[in-house]
Amino acid sequence: QQKVQQSPESLTVSEGAMASLNCTFSDGTSNNFRWYRQHSAKGLEVLVSIFSDGEKEEGRFTAHLNRANLHVSLHIREPQPSDSAVYLCAVSMRSSALGRLHFGAGTQLIVIP
Amino acid sequence: ETAVFQTPNYHVTQVGNEVSFNCKQTLGHDTMYWYKQDSKKLLKIMFSYNNKQLIVNETVPRRFSPQSSDKAHLNLRIKSVEPEDSAVYLCASSPTGTGNTLYFGEGSRLIVV
């Protein structure tokens, strides 16, 4: 059973400082990784998808994947107060049925002006 | 821009009642999903439909039943709700094919009293 764990549980940063979020997964055959953002009482917004080791940048959001270490991270450059939200890591296994994403419990990011 | 629409956004009901949540997507996707998000923000897949065919059915209680009239609609009915059904139910859609991103609606919050 795939386990996805995120850290930290909560992160407070000042506006403009880099924010780094971590996600570890248990199944080494995982091949699809996504970071979603969820503002309070809202749906999920996909930020960046990554499928191979290395980095993938989408605007101010950069995902870094190291499958050997079972680790994927998200770095937010110049965070703004509007980036305050819950960030969810989603992992899909090669053996999974279509669309079955395994989610972490999220990191609550608070950006202080 | 929202392209996965859920109704109602919020519903309070008593134990034993029946509830239905509706979902419509305007993205032209072939696959739709229902996820349940608990109070700790953890998301778990419940059902997945591809072209009106059920392809994933997690071991959810029998009182939950998905209903699809066409590939753009996927509803969720809950017969005789129980307190543990209180959660946010998120509908999503994606194109067919592995590695495709899921697009989520804003969720339907259910409170069972």
Side-chain angles (χ1 to χ4, degrees):
Chain A
Q1 178 88 18
Q2 171 82 275
K3 289 185 180 177
V4 180
Q5 294 184 306
Q6 291 185 238
S7 64
E9 200 171 301
S10 181
L11 177 65
T12 300
V13 299
S14 297
E15 184 175 2
M18 176 77 78
S20 296
L21 289 64
N22 298 298
C23 175
T24 59
F25 51 95
S26 61
D27 190 307
T29 66
S30 302
N31 62 347
N32 292 313
F33 306 86
R34 290 178 174 82
W35 283 96
Y36 284 88
R37 176 169 71 182
Q38 186 176 31
H39 284 103
S40 180
K42 293 289 185 183
L44 276 66
E45 170 193 5
V46 62
L47 299 173
V48 59
S49 303
I50 187 167
F51 309 113
S52 56
D53 286 346
E55 288 191 352
K56 176 78 177 295
E57 183 178 313
E58 295 283 355
R60 294 183 295 109
F61 302 96
T62 301
H64 187 274
L65 174 62
N66 185 327
R67 281 195 287 186
N69 289 342
L70 303 176
H71 182 260
V72 59
S73 60
L74 177 69
H75 305 277
I76 307 172
R77 182 168 39 88
E78 299 177 359
Q80 300 156 10
S82 57
D83 292 324
S84 298
V86 174
Y87 288 76
L88 294 160
C89 171
V91 179
S92 178
M93 296 157 58
R94 187 170 292 144
S95 59
S96 288
L98 183 67
R100 186 183 302 191
L101 298 178
H102 296 264
F103 283 86
T107 292
Q108 174 74 60
L109 175 67
I110 299 170
V111 182
I112 299 173
Chain B
E1 187 179 343
T2 303
V4 180
F5 303 95
Q6 292 186 234
T7 57
N9 294 327
Y10 187 85
H11 188 76
V12 181
T13 191
Q14 293 182 324
V15 170
N17 285 349
E18 179 175 312
V19 172
S20 287
F21 295 121
N22 302 311
C23 180
K24 171 187 172 182
Q25 54 97 0
T26 59
L27 296 166
H29 292 163
D30 292 327
T31 307
M32 295 184 71
Y33 316 81
W34 277 105
Y35 277 79
K36 180 181 180 181
Q37 186 173 37
D38 63 22
S39 58
K40 296 181 180 178
K41 298 289 187 183
L42 196 59
L43 278 141
K44 289 187 179 178
I45 190 167
M46 299 177 71
F47 301 102
S48 175
Y49 260 80
N50 178 261
N51 281 324
K52 299 196 291 180
Q53 299 298 314
L54 180 67
I55 60 172
V56 170
N57 184 353
E58 293 300 293
T59 54
V60 298
R62 286 181 139 186
R63 59 182 180 277
F64 289 86
S65 59
Q67 298 166 325
S68 179
S69 56
D70 56 57
K71 70 176 187 178
H73 295 84
L74 182 63
N75 300 331
L76 179 66
R77 187 176 75 158
I78 314 172
K79 285 197 304 184
S80 190
V81 296
E82 297 186 6
E84 60 263 34
D85 298 337
S86 296
V88 176
Y89 293 87
L90 286 154
C91 176
S93 72
S94 74
T96 300
T98 57
N100 285 309
T101 300
L102 271 64
Y103 294 87
F104 285 82
E106 295 195 346
S108 296
R109 179 177 294 277
L110 174 65
I111 296 177
V112 181
V113 296

